Amino acid sequence: NDHSLPGTDSQAAADLLAAHGAEPEDRTARVLLKHADGLDADRDRIAALLDQVKALPSVDSVQDPWSAGGAVSRDGTIGYATVALDEGDDPLPAEDLTRLLDTVREAGGDGLVTAVGGEATRGAEEAGGGAAEGAGMLAALVVLVLFFGSLVAAAVPLVTAVFAVGGALGLIGLAAHLFTVADFTPPVMMLVGLGVGVDYALLIFHRYRTELLAGADRHHAAVRAMDVAGRTVLFAGCTVIIALLGLVVLGLGALQGVALAVALTVLVTMAASVTLLPALLALAG
């Protein structure tokens, strides 16, 4: 991952934090605490919470807000405790991080606000992918069925998009060995790939179906569709790729890998629309 954004205010803030030793660590979490009457008013309860955290799996040590490893605001109402997690090269078990999050959250209430921060717990906070993509595909299928009046006809653009996204994922996995590709890239490229894939396939497919309804046979309908709509797809795809590669020129570390991955996705989707789609049309009729 490379989350740098050179020349931006947020990057300047991150550099300032790093210069003062506040750079996020992969094996450190923070238990954030807030009490309107001051943390000292609920010190026993906070100590009990931190003892619970210390006993959790994957937790190495805990430093309370009043020790050198913690911090308390000047008015005493906000502070954090530092949680050192087990060292090692292997990723921390997701279930252990989830238990840490749940334990801290459940301790809140009655004036005490609790939360967990830190780079180490970010993965446990993120929801798993798949739901958004599935909902989008289902919505697209419903719209296409209503538009074409046929489940088979509606499925052809979706199948093309799914195969294109699958192929792009494989290529991005290979590209990640040569370029910096952030771990949040796959969900972005999947949504873009599905949207662009359905769009491009629909352009060609609708032209093909129009030619069939006008009396052309399958072969001539496919040739006409590729000659007219296929050129449109190639032009549109190349335009999008050039625009995305412009983000690489900007030199924004967090976006370069994303731009490259999405451009590759559009390229594969465009190729699928002019190769796989005609093959599917020949099979489906």
Side-chain angles (χ1 to χ4, degrees), residues 100-191:
L100 172 61
L101 294 170
D102 292 341
T103 299
V104 173
R105 285 170 178 165
E106 291 169 1
D110 296 330
L112 180 64
V113 179
T114 59
V116 179
E119 186 70 17
T121 60
R122 185 172 63 89
E125 289 275 56
E126 294 174 345
E133 293 84 349
M137 290 181 62
L138 181 61
L141 182 61
V142 171
V143 172
L144 292 174
V145 168
L146 292 175
F147 183 70
F148 288 121
S150 166
L151 182 60
V152 174
V156 170
L158 283 177
V159 170
T160 304
V162 169
F163 271 89
V165 169
L169 275 172
L171 290 177
I172 290 170
L174 294 175
H177 292 283
L178 302 175
F179 306 96
T180 299
V181 181
D183 57 7
F184 60 82
T185 301
V188 175
M189 56 78 48
M190 286 178 69
L191 289 173

Coordinates of all heavy atoms in Angstrom, one line a residue, residues 100-191:
L100 N -11.4 -7.6 20.1 CA -10.9 -6.3 20.7 C -11.9 -5.2 20.4 O -12.2 -4.5 21.4 CB -9.5 -6.0 20.1 CG -8.9 -4.6 20.4 CD1 -8.7 -4.5 21.9 CD2 -7.6 -4.4 19.7
L101 N -12.3 -5.1 19.2 CA -13.3 -4.0 18.9 C -14.6 -4.2 19.7 O -15.1 -3.2 20.3 CB -13.6 -4.1 17.4 CG -12.5 -3.7 16.4 CD1 -12.9 -4.0 15.0 CD2 -12.1 -2.3 16.5
D102 N -15.1 -5.4 19.8 CA -16.4 -5.7 20.5 C -16.2 -5.4 22.0 O -17.1 -4.8 22.6 CB -16.8 -7.1 20.3 CG -17.3 -7.3 18.8 OD1 -17.5 -6.3 18.1 OD2 -17.3 -8.5 18.4
T103 N -15.1 -5.8 22.6 CA -14.9 -5.6 24.0 C -14.9 -4.2 24.4 O -15.5 -3.7 25.3 CB -13.5 -6.3 24.4 OG1 -13.6 -7.7 24.1 CG2 -13.3 -6.1 25.9
V104 N -14.2 -3.3 23.5 CA -14.1 -1.9 23.8 C -15.4 -1.2 23.6 O -15.9 -0.4 24.4 CB -13.0 -1.3 23.0 CG1 -13.0 0.3 23.1 CG2 -11.6 -1.8 23.3
R105 N -16.1 -1.6 22.6 CA -17.4 -0.9 22.3 C -18.4 -1.3 23.4 O -19.2 -0.4 23.8 CB -17.9 -1.4 20.9 CG -17.2 -0.8 19.8 CD -17.6 -1.4 18.5 NE -16.9 -0.8 17.3 CZ -16.9 -1.4 16.1 NH1 -17.4 -2.6 15.9 NH2 -16.3 -0.7 15.1
E106 N -18.5 -2.5 23.8 CA -19.4 -2.9 24.8 C -19.2 -2.2 26.2 O -20.1 -2.2 27.0 CB -19.4 -4.4 25.0 CG -20.0 -5.2 23.8 CD -19.7 -6.7 23.9 OE1 -19.1 -7.1 24.9 OE2 -20.1 -7.4 22.9
A107 N -18.0 -1.7 26.4 CA -17.7 -1.1 27.7 C -18.2 0.3 27.8 O -18.2 0.9 28.9 CB -16.1 -1.1 27.9
G108 N -18.6 0.9 26.7 CA -19.1 2.3 26.7 C -20.5 2.4 27.3 O -21.2 1.4 27.6
G109 N -20.9 3.6 27.6 CA -22.2 3.9 28.2 C -22.0 4.6 29.5 O -20.9 4.7 30.1
D110 N -23.2 5.2 30.0 CA -23.2 5.9 31.3 C -22.1 7.0 31.3 O -21.4 7.2 32.3 CB -22.9 4.9 32.4 CG -24.0 3.9 32.6 OD1 -25.2 4.2 32.2 OD2 -23.7 2.8 33.0
G111 N -22.0 7.7 30.2 CA -21.1 8.9 30.1 C -19.8 8.6 29.5 O -19.0 9.5 29.2
L112 N -19.4 7.3 29.4 CA -18.1 6.9 28.9 C -18.2 6.5 27.4 O -19.0 5.6 27.1 CB -17.5 5.8 29.7 CG -16.1 5.3 29.2 CD1 -15.1 6.4 29.4 CD2 -15.7 4.0 30.0
V113 N -17.5 7.2 26.6 CA -17.5 6.8 25.2 C -16.2 6.1 24.8 O -15.1 6.6 25.2 CB -17.6 8.1 24.3 CG1 -17.6 7.8 22.8 CG2 -18.9 8.9 24.7
T114 N -16.3 5.0 24.2 CA -15.1 4.2 23.9 C -15.1 3.8 22.4 O -16.1 3.7 21.7 CB -15.1 2.8 24.7 OG1 -16.3 2.1 24.3 CG2 -15.1 3.1 26.2
A115 N -13.9 3.7 21.9 CA -13.7 3.3 20.5 C -12.3 2.8 20.3 O -11.4 2.9 21.2 CB -13.9 4.5 19.5
V116 N -12.0 2.2 19.2 CA -10.7 1.6 18.9 C -10.2 2.3 17.6 O -10.9 2.4 16.6 CB -10.7 0.1 18.7 CG1 -9.3 -0.4 18.4 CG2 -11.2 -0.6 20.0
G117 N -8.9 2.7 17.6 CA -8.3 3.3 16.4 C -7.0 2.6 16.2 O -6.5 1.8 16.9
G118 N -6.4 2.9 15.0 CA -5.1 2.4 14.7 C -5.1 1.6 13.4 O -6.1 1.0 13.0
E119 N -4.0 1.6 12.8 CA -3.8 0.9 11.5 C -4.1 -0.6 11.6 O -4.7 -1.2 10.7 CB -2.4 1.1 10.9 CG -2.2 0.5 9.5 CD -2.9 1.3 8.5 OE1 -3.3 2.5 8.8 OE2 -3.1 0.8 7.4
A120 N -3.8 -1.2 12.8 CA -3.9 -2.7 12.9 C -5.3 -3.1 12.9 O -5.6 -4.2 12.5 CB -3.3 -3.1 14.3
T121 N -6.3 -2.3 13.3 CA -7.7 -2.7 13.4 C -8.5 -2.3 12.1 O -9.7 -2.5 12.1 CB -8.3 -2.1 14.6 OG1 -8.3 -0.7 14.5 CG2 -7.7 -2.6 15.9
R122 N -7.8 -1.6 11.2 CA -8.5 -1.1 10.0 C -9.2 -2.2 9.2 O -10.3 -2.1 8.8 CB -7.6 -0.3 9.1 CG -8.3 0.3 7.9 CD -7.3 1.2 7.2 NE -6.2 0.5 6.6 CZ -6.2 0.0 5.4 NH1 -7.3 0.1 4.7 NH2 -5.2 -0.7 5.0
G123 N -8.5 -3.4 9.0 CA -9.0 -4.5 8.3 C -10.2 -5.1 8.9 O -11.2 -5.5 8.2
A124 N -10.3 -5.1 10.3 CA -11.4 -5.7 11.0 C -12.6 -4.8 10.9 O -13.8 -5.3 11.0 CB -11.1 -6.0 12.4
E125 N -12.4 -3.5 10.7 CA -13.5 -2.6 10.6 C -14.2 -2.6 9.2 O -15.3 -2.2 9.0 CB -13.0 -1.1 10.8 CG -12.6 -0.8 12.2 CD -13.8 -0.4 13.1 OE1 -14.8 -1.2 13.1 OE2 -13.7 0.6 13.7
E126 N -13.4 -3.0 8.2 CA -13.9 -3.0 6.8 C -14.8 -4.2 6.5 O -14.5 -5.3 6.9 CB -12.8 -3.0 5.8 CG -11.9 -1.7 5.9 CD -10.7 -1.8 5.0 OE1 -10.4 -2.9 4.5 OE2 -10.1 -0.7 4.8
A127 N -16.0 -3.9 5.9 CA -16.9 -5.0 5.6 C -16.3 -5.8 4.4 O -15.6 -5.2 3.5 CB -18.3 -4.4 5.2
G128 N -16.7 -7.0 4.3 CA -16.3 -7.9 3.2 C -16.9 -7.5 1.9 O -18.1 -7.0 1.9
G129 N -16.3 -7.7 0.8 CA -16.8 -7.3 -0.5 C -17.8 -8.3 -0.9 O -18.0 -9.4 -0.4
G130 N -18.5 -8.0 -2.0 CA -19.5 -8.9 -2.6 C -20.9 -8.5 -2.6 O -21.6 -8.7 -3.5
A131 N -21.3 -7.9 -1.5 CA -22.7 -7.4 -1.4 C -23.1 -6.4 -2.4 O -24.1 -6.4 -3.0 CB -23.0 -7.0 0.1
A132 N -22.2 -5.3 -2.5 CA -22.5 -4.2 -3.4 C -22.5 -4.7 -4.8 O -23.4 -4.4 -5.6 CB -21.5 -3.1 -3.2
E133 N -21.5 -5.5 -5.2 CA -21.4 -6.1 -6.5 C -22.6 -6.9 -6.9 O -23.2 -6.8 -8.0 CB -20.1 -6.9 -6.7 CG -18.9 -6.0 -6.7 CD -18.4 -5.8 -5.2 OE1 -19.2 -6.1 -4.3 OE2 -17.3 -5.3 -5.0
G134 N -23.0 -7.8 -5.9 CA -24.2 -8.7 -6.1 C -25.5 -7.9 -6.3 O -26.3 -8.2 -7.2
A135 N -25.6 -6.8 -5.5 CA -26.8 -6.0 -5.6 C -26.9 -5.3 -6.9 O -27.9 -5.2 -7.6 CB -26.9 -5.0 -4.4
G136 N -25.7 -4.8 -7.4 CA -25.7 -4.1 -8.6 C -26.0 -5.0 -9.8 O -26.7 -4.7 -10.7
M137 N -25.5 -6.3 -9.8 CA -25.7 -7.2 -10.9 C -27.2 -7.6 -10.9 O -27.8 -7.8 -11.9 CB -24.8 -8.4 -10.7 CG -23.4 -8.2 -11.0 SD -22.4 -9.7 -10.8 CE -23.1 -10.7 -12.1
L138 N -27.8 -7.8 -9.7 CA -29.2 -8.2 -9.6 C -30.1 -7.1 -10.2 O -31.0 -7.3 -10.9 CB -29.6 -8.5 -8.2 CG -31.0 -8.9 -7.9 CD1 -31.3 -10.2 -8.7 CD2 -31.3 -9.1 -6.4
A139 N -29.8 -5.8 -9.8 CA -30.5 -4.7 -10.3 C -30.4 -4.6 -11.8 O -31.4 -4.3 -12.5 CB -30.0 -3.4 -9.6
A140 N -29.2 -4.8 -12.3 CA -28.9 -4.7 -13.8 C -29.7 -5.8 -14.5 O -30.3 -5.6 -15.6 CB -27.5 -4.9 -14.1
L141 N -29.8 -7.0 -13.9 CA -30.5 -8.1 -14.5 C -32.0 -7.8 -14.6 O -32.6 -8.1 -15.6 CB -30.2 -9.4 -13.7 CG -30.9 -10.7 -14.2 CD1 -30.4 -11.0 -15.6 CD2 -30.6 -11.9 -13.3
V142 N -32.5 -7.3 -13.5 CA -34.0 -6.9 -13.5 C -34.3 -5.9 -14.6 O -35.2 -6.1 -15.4 CB -34.4 -6.4 -12.1 CG1 -35.8 -5.8 -12.2 CG2 -34.3 -7.5 -11.1
V143 N -33.4 -4.9 -14.7 CA -33.7 -3.8 -15.7 C -33.6 -4.4 -17.1 O -34.4 -4.1 -18.0 CB -32.7 -2.7 -15.5 CG1 -32.8 -1.7 -16.7 CG2 -32.9 -2.0 -14.2
L144 N -32.6 -5.3 -17.4 CA -32.3 -5.8 -18.7 C -33.5 -6.8 -19.1 O -33.9 -6.9 -20.2 CB -31.0 -6.5 -18.7 CG -29.8 -5.6 -18.7 CD1 -28.5 -6.4 -18.6 CD2 -29.7 -4.6 -19.9
V145 N -33.9 -7.6 -18.1 CA -35.1 -8.5 -18.4 C -36.3 -7.7 -18.8 O -37.0 -8.0 -19.7 CB -35.4 -9.4 -17.2 CG1 -36.7 -10.1 -17.4 CG2 -34.3 -10.4 -17.0
L146 N -36.6 -6.6 -18.1 CA -37.7 -5.7 -18.4 C -37.5 -5.1 -19.8 O -38.5 -4.9 -20.6 CB -37.9 -4.7 -17.4 CG -38.3 -5.1 -16.0 CD1 -38.4 -4.0 -15.0 CD2 -39.7 -5.8 -16.0
F147 N -36.3 -4.8 -20.1 CA -36.0 -4.1 -21.4 C -36.1 -5.0 -22.6 O -36.7 -4.7 -23.6 CB -34.6 -3.4 -21.3 CG -34.2 -2.6 -22.5 CD1 -34.9 -1.4 -22.8 CD2 -33.3 -3.1 -23.4 CE1 -34.5 -0.7 -23.9 CE2 -32.9 -2.3 -24.5 CZ -33.6 -1.1 -24.8
F148 N -35.5 -6.2 -22.4 CA -35.4 -7.2 -23.5 C -36.6 -8.2 -23.5 O -36.9 -8.8 -24.5 CB -34.1 -7.9 -23.5 CG -32.9 -7.1 -23.9 CD1 -31.9 -6.9 -23.1 CD2 -32.9 -6.5 -25.2 CE1 -30.8 -6.1 -23.5 CE2 -31.8 -5.7 -25.6 CZ -30.8 -5.5 -24.7
G149 N -37.2 -8.4 -22.4 CA -38.3 -9.4 -22.3 C -37.8 -10.8 -22.3 O -38.6 -11.7 -22.6
S150 N -36.5 -11.0 -22.1 CA -35.9 -12.4 -22.2 C -34.8 -12.5 -21.2 O -33.9 -11.7 -21.1 CB -35.4 -12.6 -23.6 OG -34.6 -13.8 -23.6
L151 N -34.8 -13.6 -20.4 CA -33.8 -13.8 -19.4 C -32.4 -14.1 -20.1 O -31.4 -13.6 -19.7 CB -34.2 -14.9 -18.5 CG -33.2 -15.3 -17.3 CD1 -33.0 -14.0 -16.4 CD2 -33.6 -16.5 -16.5
V152 N -32.5 -14.9 -21.2 CA -31.3 -15.2 -21.9 C -30.6 -14.0 -22.5 O -29.4 -13.7 -22.4 CB -31.6 -16.2 -23.0 CG1 -30.3 -16.5 -23.9 CG2 -32.1 -17.6 -22.4
A153 N -31.5 -13.1 -23.1 CA -30.9 -11.9 -23.7 C -30.4 -11.0 -22.6 O -29.3 -10.3 -22.8 CB -32.1 -11.2 -24.4
A154 N -31.0 -10.9 -21.5 CA -30.5 -10.1 -20.4 C -29.2 -10.6 -19.8 O -28.4 -9.8 -19.3 CB -31.6 -9.9 -19.3
A155 N -29.0 -11.9 -19.8 CA -27.9 -12.5 -19.2 C -26.6 -12.3 -20.0 O -25.5 -12.3 -19.5 CB -28.1 -14.0 -19.0
V156 N -26.7 -12.2 -21.3 CA -25.5 -12.1 -22.2 C -24.6 -10.9 -21.8 O -23.4 -11.1 -21.6 CB -25.9 -12.0 -23.7 CG1 -24.7 -11.7 -24.6 CG2 -26.5 -13.3 -24.1
P157 N -25.1 -9.6 -21.7 CA -24.2 -8.6 -21.3 C -23.6 -8.8 -19.9 O -22.5 -8.4 -19.7 CB -25.2 -7.3 -21.3 CG -26.3 -7.7 -22.2 CD -26.5 -9.2 -22.0
L158 N -24.4 -9.4 -19.0 CA -23.9 -9.6 -17.6 C -22.8 -10.6 -17.6 O -21.8 -10.5 -17.0 CB -25.0 -10.0 -16.7 CG -25.9 -8.9 -16.2 CD1 -27.0 -9.5 -15.3 CD2 -25.2 -7.9 -15.4
V159 N -22.9 -11.7 -18.4 CA -21.9 -12.8 -18.5 C -20.6 -12.2 -19.1 O -19.5 -12.5 -18.6 CB -22.4 -13.9 -19.3 CG1 -21.3 -14.9 -19.6 CG2 -23.5 -14.7 -18.6
T160 N -20.7 -11.3 -20.1 CA -19.6 -10.7 -20.7 C -18.8 -9.9 -19.6 O -17.6 -9.9 -19.5 CB -20.0 -9.8 -21.8 OG1 -20.7 -10.6 -22.8 CG2 -18.8 -9.2 -22.5
A161 N -19.6 -9.1 -18.8 CA -19.0 -8.2 -17.8 C -18.3 -9.0 -16.7 O -17.2 -8.7 -16.3 CB -20.1 -7.3 -17.2
V162 N -18.9 -10.1 -16.3 CA -18.4 -10.9 -15.2 C -17.1 -11.6 -15.7 O -16.1 -11.6 -14.9 CB -19.4 -12.0 -14.8 CG1 -18.7 -13.0 -13.9 CG2 -20.6 -11.4 -14.1
F163 N -17.0 -12.1 -16.9 CA -15.8 -12.7 -17.4 C -14.7 -11.7 -17.6 O -13.5 -11.9 -17.3 CB -16.0 -13.4 -18.7 CG -16.5 -14.8 -18.6 CD1 -17.8 -15.2 -18.5 CD2 -15.5 -15.9 -18.6 CE1 -18.2 -16.5 -18.3 CE2 -15.9 -17.2 -18.4 CZ -17.3 -17.5 -18.3
A164 N -15.1 -10.5 -18.0 CA -14.1 -9.4 -18.1 C -13.5 -9.0 -16.8 O -12.3 -8.9 -16.7 CB -14.7 -8.2 -18.8
V165 N -14.3 -8.9 -15.8 CA -13.8 -8.5 -14.4 C -13.0 -9.6 -13.9 O -11.9 -9.3 -13.3 CB -15.0 -8.2 -13.5 CG1 -14.6 -8.1 -12.1 CG2 -15.7 -6.9 -13.9
G166 N -13.3 -10.9 -14.1 CA -12.5 -12.0 -13.6 C -11.2 -12.0 -14.2 O -10.1 -12.2 -13.6
G167 N -11.1 -11.8 -15.6 CA -9.8 -11.7 -16.2 C -9.0 -10.5 -15.8 O -7.8 -10.6 -15.6
A168 N -9.6 -9.4 -15.5 CA -8.9 -8.2 -15.1 C -8.3 -8.4 -13.7 O -7.2 -8.0 -13.4 CB -9.8 -7.0 -15.1
L169 N -9.1 -9.1 -12.8 CA -8.6 -9.4 -11.5 C -7.3 -10.2 -11.5 O -6.3 -10.0 -10.8 CB -9.6 -10.1 -10.6 CG -10.7 -9.3 -9.9 CD1 -11.8 -10.2 -9.3 CD2 -10.0 -8.4 -8.8
G170 N -7.2 -11.2 -12.4 CA -6.0 -12.0 -12.6 C -4.9 -11.2 -13.0 O -3.7 -11.3 -12.5
L171 N -5.1 -10.3 -14.0 CA -4.0 -9.5 -14.5 C -3.5 -8.5 -13.5 O -2.3 -8.2 -13.4 CB -4.5 -8.7 -15.8 CG -4.7 -9.6 -17.0 CD1 -5.3 -8.8 -18.2 CD2 -3.4 -10.3 -17.5
I172 N -4.4 -7.9 -12.7 CA -4.0 -7.0 -11.6 C -3.2 -7.7 -10.6 O -2.3 -7.1 -10.0 CB -5.3 -6.3 -11.0 CG1 -5.9 -5.4 -12.1 CG2 -4.9 -5.5 -9.8 CD1 -7.3 -4.9 -11.7
G173 N -3.6 -8.9 -10.3 CA -2.7 -9.7 -9.3 C -1.3 -9.9 -9.8 O -0.4 -9.8 -9.0
L174 N -1.1 -10.0 -11.1 CA 0.2 -10.1 -11.7 C 0.9 -8.7 -11.7 O 2.1 -8.6 -11.4 CB 0.1 -10.7 -13.1 CG -0.3 -12.1 -13.3 CD1 -0.5 -12.5 -14.8 CD2 0.6 -13.1 -12.6
A175 N 0.1 -7.7 -12.0 CA 0.7 -6.4 -12.1 C 1.1 -5.9 -10.7 O 2.1 -5.1 -10.6 CB -0.4 -5.4 -12.6
A176 N 0.5 -6.4 -9.6 CA 0.9 -6.0 -8.3 C 2.3 -6.4 -7.9 O 2.8 -5.9 -6.9 CB -0.1 -6.5 -7.3
H177 N 2.9 -7.4 -8.7 CA 4.2 -7.8 -8.4 C 5.2 -6.7 -9.0 O 6.4 -6.7 -8.6 CB 4.5 -9.1 -9.0 CG 3.8 -10.2 -8.4 ND1 4.2 -10.8 -7.2 CD2 2.7 -10.9 -8.7 CE1 3.4 -11.8 -6.8 NE2 2.4 -11.8 -7.7
L178 N 4.8 -5.9 -9.9 CA 5.6 -4.9 -10.5 C 5.3 -3.5 -10.1 O 6.2 -2.6 -10.1 CB 5.5 -5.0 -12.0 CG 5.8 -6.4 -12.6 CD1 5.5 -6.3 -14.1 CD2 7.3 -6.7 -12.4
F179 N 4.0 -3.2 -9.7 CA 3.6 -1.9 -9.4 C 2.9 -1.9 -8.0 O 2.5 -2.9 -7.5 CB 2.6 -1.3 -10.4 CG 3.1 -1.4 -11.8 CD1 2.8 -2.4 -12.6 CD2 3.9 -0.4 -12.3 CE1 3.2 -2.4 -13.9 CE2 4.4 -0.4 -13.6 CZ 4.0 -1.4 -14.4
T180 N 2.9 -0.7 -7.4 CA 2.2 -0.6 -6.1 C 0.7 -0.5 -6.3 O 0.2 0.6 -6.9 CB 2.7 0.6 -5.3 OG1 4.1 0.5 -5.1 CG2 2.0 0.8 -4.0
V181 N 0.0 -1.5 -5.9 CA -1.5 -1.5 -6.1 C -2.1 -1.6 -4.7 O -1.9 -2.6 -4.0 CB -2.0 -2.6 -6.9 CG1 -3.5 -2.6 -7.1 CG2 -1.3 -2.6 -8.3
A182 N -2.9 -0.6 -4.2 CA -3.4 -0.5 -2.9 C -4.5 -1.7 -2.7 O -5.1 -2.1 -3.7 CB -4.1 0.8 -2.7
D183 N -4.6 -2.1 -1.5 CA -5.5 -3.2 -1.2 C -7.0 -2.9 -1.4 O -7.9 -3.8 -1.4 CB -5.3 -3.8 0.2 CG -5.4 -2.8 1.3 OD1 -5.8 -1.7 1.0 OD2 -5.1 -3.1 2.5
F184 N -7.3 -1.6 -1.5 CA -8.7 -1.2 -1.7 C -9.1 -1.1 -3.2 O -10.2 -0.7 -3.6 CB -9.0 0.1 -1.1 CG -8.2 1.3 -1.5 CD1 -8.5 2.0 -2.7 CD2 -7.1 1.7 -0.8 CE1 -7.8 3.0 -3.2 CE2 -6.3 2.8 -1.3 CZ -6.7 3.5 -2.4
T185 N -8.1 -1.5 -4.1 CA -8.3 -1.4 -5.5 C -9.4 -2.4 -6.1 O -10.2 -2.0 -6.9 CB -7.0 -1.6 -6.2 OG1 -6.1 -0.6 -5.8 CG2 -7.2 -1.5 -7.8
P186 N -9.3 -3.7 -5.7 CA -10.3 -4.7 -6.3 C -11.7 -4.3 -6.2 O -12.4 -4.4 -7.2 CB -10.0 -6.0 -5.5 CG -8.5 -5.8 -5.1 CD -8.3 -4.4 -4.8
P187 N -12.3 -3.8 -5.0 CA -13.7 -3.4 -5.0 C -14.0 -2.3 -6.0 O -15.0 -2.3 -6.7 CB -13.9 -3.0 -3.6 CG -12.9 -3.7 -2.8 CD -11.7 -3.7 -3.7
V188 N -13.0 -1.3 -6.1 CA -13.2 -0.2 -7.0 C -13.3 -0.7 -8.5 O -14.2 -0.4 -9.3 CB -12.1 0.8 -6.9 CG1 -12.3 2.0 -7.9 CG2 -12.1 1.4 -5.5
M189 N -12.3 -1.5 -8.9 CA -12.2 -2.0 -10.3 C -13.4 -2.9 -10.6 O -13.8 -3.0 -11.7 CB -10.9 -2.6 -10.6 CG -10.4 -3.8 -9.8 SD -11.1 -5.4 -10.1 CE -11.0 -5.5 -11.8
M190 N -13.9 -3.7 -9.6 CA -15.0 -4.6 -9.8 C -16.2 -3.8 -10.2 O -17.0 -4.1 -11.1 CB -15.2 -5.5 -8.6 CG -14.2 -6.6 -8.5 SD -14.4 -7.6 -7.0 CE -15.9 -8.5 -7.5
L191 N -16.5 -2.8 -9.4 CA -17.7 -2.0 -9.7 C -17.6 -1.2 -11.0 O -18.6 -1.2 -11.8 CB -17.9 -1.0 -8.5 CG -18.4 -1.6 -7.2 CD1 -18.4 -0.6 -6.1 CD2 -19.8 -2.2 -7.4

